[in-house]
Amino acid sequence: QVQLVESGGGLVQAGGSLGLSCAASGRTFSSYTMGWFRQAPGKEREFVSVISRSGGITYYADSVKGRFTISRDNAKNTVYLQMNSLKPEDTAVYYCAADLGGVARNARPVDYDYWGQGTQVTVSS
C-alpha cells in the first residue's frame, strides 16, 4: 500500500503560478510511474501529466502542454507539478496517482493503483 498526500493548492489569478507536491510513503517510490490528474465540477477526472520511474520520460495533456511541468525527486519520495500561466479552466481538484505499470500517453484513471486525496486549485479571472 502506498499513501499519497498532495499539497500546494490554492487560489490564484489567471496568469499566475502554483506548484503542487505529492509526497509518497514507503521505500518503493522509484518503482512507480507517477501521474497527475484533475477533476473539475461536473466533469470526469482527466489526465494531466505523467512521469516515468526515473524521470526520463514525461507526457502532458494537450491542454496543459507548455504551461505545466512535472518532475520527481525519488530521494524525497515526491513528485511535483509546476503550473504556470494558469487559466480559469485549470480550476479543479488535482490528484496525484501511482502506477506499477509503465508510462502511457493519455492514461486513464483506472490504470493507476494508488491515489491521493486531492488538492483544490482555483484560478480566478
Side-chain angles (χ1 to χ4, degrees):
Q1 187 82 21
V2 175
Q3 291 185 324
L4 306 171
V5 180
E6 302 95 336
S7 62
L11 174 64
V12 298
Q13 292 187 335
S17 299
L18 276 177
L20 305 182
S21 297
C22 175
S25 65
R27 302 176 182 177
T28 60
F29 178 74
S30 62
S31 298
Y32 291 88
T33 295
M34 297 297 299
W36 286 97
F37 292 77
R38 67 187 183 185
Q39 188 166 19
K43 296 184 178 180
E44 294 187 338
R45 192 166 301 185
E46 67 172 344
F47 168 79
V48 175
S49 186
V50 63
I51 188 167
S52 62
R53 297 173 181 88
S54 62
I57 303 172
T58 58
Y59 296 128
Y60 298 90
D62 288 343
S63 59
V64 307
K65 195 173 300 181
R67 300 187 297 119
F68 291 10
T69 303
I70 190 171
S71 61
R72 68 190 296 165
D73 186 340
N74 288 345
K76 296 182 177 180
N77 280 14
T78 303
V79 63
Y80 306 94
L81 185 69
Q82 179 63 43
M83 305 183 295
N84 299 324
S85 302
L86 284 162
K87 305 174 181 179
E89 50 262 46
D90 295 319
T91 295
V93 176
Y94 282 71
Y95 300 89
C96 66
D99 181 14
L100 282 170
V103 297
R105 295 181 182 271
N106 300 316
R108 301 178 303 167
V110 71
D111 297 326
Y112 283 76
D113 302 295
Y114 303 102
W115 292 85
Q117 65 181 9
T119 185
Q120 177 71 48
V121 172
T122 302
V123 184
S124 63
S125 61

